[in-house]
Amino acid sequence: MAGAMWSRSGQEDGAFLHDGISPQAQIIDQRTFNALHDVPPPSEAKGFTFEQFVPPGATHESLLARPFHIYDAEFLDIIGPNPTLTLLAQTDSDPIFHEAPVWYPAKDEMFFAQNAGAAAAGTGLAKSAVIQKIPLSEIGPAIANQRNASGSVRVEVVHSSPTVINPNGGTNYRGQLLFLGEGQGENIAPAMYLMNPEPPYNTTVLLDNFFGRQFNSLNDVSINPRTGEIYFTDPTYGYVQDFRPAPGLPKQVWRFSETTGAVAVAADGFNMPNGICFSPDGMYLYITDTGMAQALFGTNLTFSSTIYRYDVQEDGTLDNRKTFAFVTPGIPDGIHVDTRGNVYTGCGDGVQVYNPSGKLIGKIYVGSTVANFQFAGKGRLVMLAETELYYVTLAADGAFPAAPDPATMTGAKRARLEADEGDDRPEHPPTSIPPSKRRRVLNPPTTNLTTPQYHAATTSPPLRRTPPPHFLLPLAPAPPRRRPVSHRFYQLSADSQLWKALYYARFVLPRAMRIPGVEGLRAWDLKSRSLIVQVEIGDGVDAAVPTCIAVDETEFACGVLDVALGFDDGSFGVWRLRTNDKRLERRYRHEKSSSGELIAMAFSHPYLLTATGAVLVSLYTFDIPNGIETNNAGSIRSLGGGDKARPDHPPEDLGPTTLCYTHPYLLATLPDNTLVLHMCTSSASSLSISNGIRLWGHTSGISDAEITARGKAVSVSTRGEEMRVWELEGRSSGIGSRSVEIRPWQTPGRCGALGGVVGADDGLHSGDPARDWDERRNWVGFDDEMVIVLKERKGARESLMVYDFT
């Protein structure tokens, strides 16, 4: 509110009250201390770097009494009419509430880390700092309305395995938690860990070196919402806190692509790069430089205590560094943004809030250093003040930009924004940025079910009303969508010129879907490699694209198979294959749904289970004894008494790439070339899933896996000809992950050993390893004797390959 005048009530100096604001807030008028009669010299002002400046006429106690300090009227929209600040927990001296706050929406838990290198805790070199968590679900209005509710929530230590050594930075990543460890001594290098947010809290190291050189002391991390790459800071705080050796790299900001493995410097020229955060739309990157604080080496007032802002280019490179804000008291440590682009930073007196142009508009004042903090969805904030833990309610909504699925992207070309009128981003951001209505992601990432969400969904009250164990259904993973047009036209969707992407989406694809024969349902005889029957599945001009399939084999002995197809508009249909008559007939078609694209289905008459990209699981029933022509299907939302099998906040991104289930085995494939096996125990009223057992063996990414009823599984690599057959029986006891590698061969004159191409042989299998590496395996089926693989080459040509092991 530039130039506006406050009408005062109460105090007449720097801090005063106002009749129209919350009793928890007060107005701070900077004009009252723009000119001080007695300004202390730098030698005395040094204490102000970590001690709070008190405006004339105010006291430390009066500032604490009304902790929401309004420097500009914009802050009123952030705190709302009734903000609250509550002390949840505290310690005498151990700084257990320090860094790496990460909110896990599925269980509404906040994770955080102890201070590494703190003398009071003895952490750093002698022992590692620990990760802890609190359940936010236990905080109701009765607690939130108290100023001091210390001891009202449980603080639980998280025993990660292997241990995250001296954790300091953290964020959500692919449905799990990503932590940065600062390392310990000379022999334990700083590392980036991916941690399961649920017991046993197993971890995987994603990165721990740059071409064999240790990082200095990894600090904070953020995910580029447009490219999915990981950006992180690497200062030397482990060295200046005396638990890491002298640095071997410059103090820099790095970027890491888990998809390609590439590690590169994103920015340099810092005293101490510290906090890092992307704007909600990914157009800007904020980095704090806290060089003023040198730990055991003291304080240098001429060094940075600054927030810098970079423009983020479409390929992920950084440009146009600008000074966003200089922060006092203390240093700007943790940094986050809300959905309107306002910037929050933890510093020497609490959390300070800046609008998108870099103007200080308010503070959440606690009178001590807040190293970091984190939003927990809309209207909630958790602040870490070393020995104190605070809970805040306000009106702002934290920005959690969902990172794209790296598997669906090609460099940065998939991260296109659709705009009706070019780029309307202002050269200088306005004082307030409302959520954009014109920009939206052209190709939003497809969301699949992660293991934690699968467990939560299958044990929720609605699913406890499912049939007995023999009715438990597999959630078949969705096969990748087939390209219905030529490779040349498909490339339009990834072109750098937005009009081509729009042209493809709005004109090329819809017209291609009307071409007869483009989309259909086919049944094959694998013994003879011959086509049994084919039918069209389109419903006219606006035909939906099939995304998943499930087969009900309960009447196969009678020559009948029921096939369910799910579509990208949320609809599904059921077809019946009569093998004796070689006939496919449609039996039921469900209308499209606003819940979004179906990504997985399971079918065993009379039950059909579907899952959408928004992690909504629905159960449908067909109660007509002699058929299913009459729609008697209901969503799990109504069958379960009104409960939804959906978390409050869908995960940003996901761990498992595929899931397959044949009772009692649940098998998940992971992006790190491994599989995880779970054992399922079921009764008529419940389903529980054991902790996972990691299966090792693949040397490249796994495309898909399939389980048979006899306790065997097959997995196939995305590239190359690597397939593995697994014996699952006995693995529940933790037996090692041995498997048999199968590499197909072909005897001249005999097609049975390798099998062959189902349909027209277009030369997809050449025997040339280089060419075979270009071929992508997208889906696999297995019945103990034959393996079926969907193979795709450049140019969008596809074939079903049959490998016969009889």
Side-chain angles (χ1 to χ4, degrees), residues 198-265:
E198 301 198 24
Y201 306 112
N202 47 296
T203 63
T204 301
V205 175
L206 301 184
L207 179 69
D208 64 2
N209 75 95
F210 178 68
F211 290 96
R213 299 171 65 179
Q214 288 189 5
F215 292 105
N216 298 320
S217 189
L218 300 185
N219 191 279
D220 202 3
V221 61
S222 187
I223 311 300
N224 187 329
R226 295 195 292 167
T227 67
E229 290 185 314
I230 304 170
Y231 289 64
F232 57 95
T233 58
D234 186 34
T236 58
Y237 276 119
Y239 170 65
V240 300
Q241 290 178 295
D242 201 28
F243 64 88
R244 285 282 295 149
L249 286 170
K251 293 171 279 190
Q252 302 174 135
V253 176
W254 299 79
R255 55 189 290 206
F256 168 53
S257 170
E258 189 191 1
T259 305
T260 65
V263 184
V265 173

Side-chain angles (χ1 to χ4, degrees), residues 64-88:
L64 286 174
R66 300 167 73 102
F68 296 91
H69 297 177
I70 304 169
Y71 282 76
D72 191 277
E74 293 180 49
F75 195 53
L76 293 171
D77 293 331
I78 290 176
I79 62 176
N82 189 29
T84 63
L85 173 69
T86 303
L87 177 64
L88 290 182

Side-chain angles (χ1 to χ4, degrees), residues 519-521 535-540 543-546 565 567 575 586 589:
E519 294 291 348
L521 181 61
V535 296
E536 295 294 326
I537 59 176
D539 284 334
V545 177
L565 288 181
F567 297 89
W575 283 260
R586 192 174 79 173
R589 193 71 162 87

Side-chain angles (χ1 to χ4, degrees), residues 526-598:
L526 298 184
K527 294 292 185 183
S528 63
R529 314 288 192 268
S530 60
L531 179 67
I532 299 177
V533 63
Q534 174 181 351
V535 296
E536 295 294 326
I537 59 176
D539 284 334
V541 175
D542 297 323
V545 177
T547 55
C548 52
I549 187 171
V551 178
D552 177 17
E553 304 180 43
T554 53
E555 298 185 48
F556 182 68
C558 303
V560 172
L561 285 176
D562 285 327
V563 182
L565 288 181
F567 297 89
D568 61 350
D569 62 358
S571 65
F572 65 85
V574 178
W575 283 260
R576 170 159 290 185
L577 170 63
R578 301 184 185 275
T579 57
N580 296 331
D581 300 336
K582 296 183 177 182
R583 182 160 51 95
L584 265 171
E585 57 188 26
R586 192 174 79 173
R587 312 208 69 210
Y588 175 72
R589 193 71 162 87
H590 194 71
E591 68 275 7
K592 62 183 180 181
S593 169
S594 60
S595 298
E597 174 182 341
L598 296 183

Side-chain angles (χ1 to χ4, degrees), residues 446-696:
T446 301
T447 305
N448 298 307
L449 288 174
T450 65
T451 302
Q453 278 76 30
Y454 181 83
H455 181 273
T458 52
T459 56
S460 60
L463 289 182
R464 283 200 286 266
R465 296 181 174 89
T466 53
H470 65 279
F471 280 110
L472 293 174
L473 310 174
L475 281 177
R481 185 178 305 174
R482 185 160 64 89
R483 300 173 181 170
V485 295
S486 70
H487 183 65
R488 177 181 178 184
F489 280 100
Y490 185 82
Q491 285 182 317
L492 290 174
S493 65
D495 193 271
S496 59
Q497 301 182 48
L498 292 180
W499 71 268
K500 291 185 179 181
L502 294 174
Y503 181 80
Y504 171 82
R506 295 182 181 179
F507 297 98
V508 176
L509 182 61
R511 284 159 177 76
M513 295 304 301
R514 301 182 216 166
I515 301 174
V518 167
E519 294 291 348
L521 181 61
R522 301 178 182 181
W524 301 86
D525 185 334
L526 298 184
K527 294 292 185 183
S528 63
R529 314 288 192 268
S530 60
L531 179 67
I532 299 177
V533 63
Q534 174 181 351
V535 296
E536 295 294 326
I537 59 176
D539 284 334
V541 175
D542 297 323
V545 177
T547 55
C548 52
I549 187 171
V551 178
D552 177 17
E553 304 180 43
T554 53
E555 298 185 48
F556 182 68
C558 303
V560 172
L561 285 176
D562 285 327
V563 182
L565 288 181
F567 297 89
D568 61 350
D569 62 358
S571 65
F572 65 85
V574 178
W575 283 260
R576 170 159 290 185
L577 170 63
R578 301 184 185 275
T579 57
N580 296 331
D581 300 336
K582 296 183 177 182
R583 182 160 51 95
L584 265 171
E585 57 188 26
R586 192 174 79 173
R587 312 208 69 210
Y588 175 72
R589 193 71 162 87
H590 194 71
E591 68 275 7
K592 62 183 180 181
S593 169
S594 60
S595 298
E597 174 182 341
L598 296 183
I599 62 170
M601 306 180 72
F603 187 23
S604 180
H605 188 81
Y607 300 98
L608 177 67
L609 196 65
T610 66
T612 72
V615 200
L616 176 66
V617 178
S618 299
L619 177 66
Y620 297 85
T621 59
F622 304 101
D623 297 330
I624 306 302
N626 298 322
I628 57 175
E629 285 80 357
T630 301
N631 175 13
N632 193 26
S635 167
I636 199 168
R637 289 170 289 183
S638 58
L639 294 176
D643 292 330
K644 291 185 180 180
R646 173 195 284 178
D648 292 336
H649 300 271
E652 293 182 5
D653 213 340
L654 306 167
T657 55
T658 64
L659 287 173
C660 53
Y661 173 53
T662 297
H663 195 73
Y665 304 108
L666 172 66
L667 191 62
T669 64
L670 301 180
D672 61 356
N673 309 342
T674 64
L675 301 96
V676 175
L677 176 66
H678 301 268
M679 298 295 294
C680 304
T681 304
S682 62
S683 66
S685 60
S686 65
L687 173 67
S688 62
I689 301 176
S690 71
N691 294 329
I693 301 171
R694 189 65 66 96
L695 306 182
W696 309 84

Side-chain angles (χ1 to χ4, degrees), residues 85-89 95-102 110-115 130 132-134 136 155 167-170 179 333-334 336 345-347 349-351 366 368-374 381-392:
L85 173 69
T86 303
L87 177 64
L88 290 182
I96 63 175
F97 312 113
H98 177 60
E99 274 280 10
V102 188
M110 184 68 73
F111 290 73
F112 51 88
Q114 184 183 25
N115 192 338
V130 297
Q132 299 167 100
K133 68 176 184 177
I134 59 169
L136 297 183
V155 180
N168 193 82
F179 284 106
D333 199 336
H336 300 283
T345 185
C347 56
D349 57 359
V351 172
V366 297
S368 60
T369 297
V370 171
N372 214 328
F373 58 96
Q374 184 58 273
L381 187 74
V382 174
M383 296 166 48
L384 307 176
E386 301 299 328
T387 59
E388 296 173 326
L389 178 68
Y390 291 93
Y391 177 79
V392 180

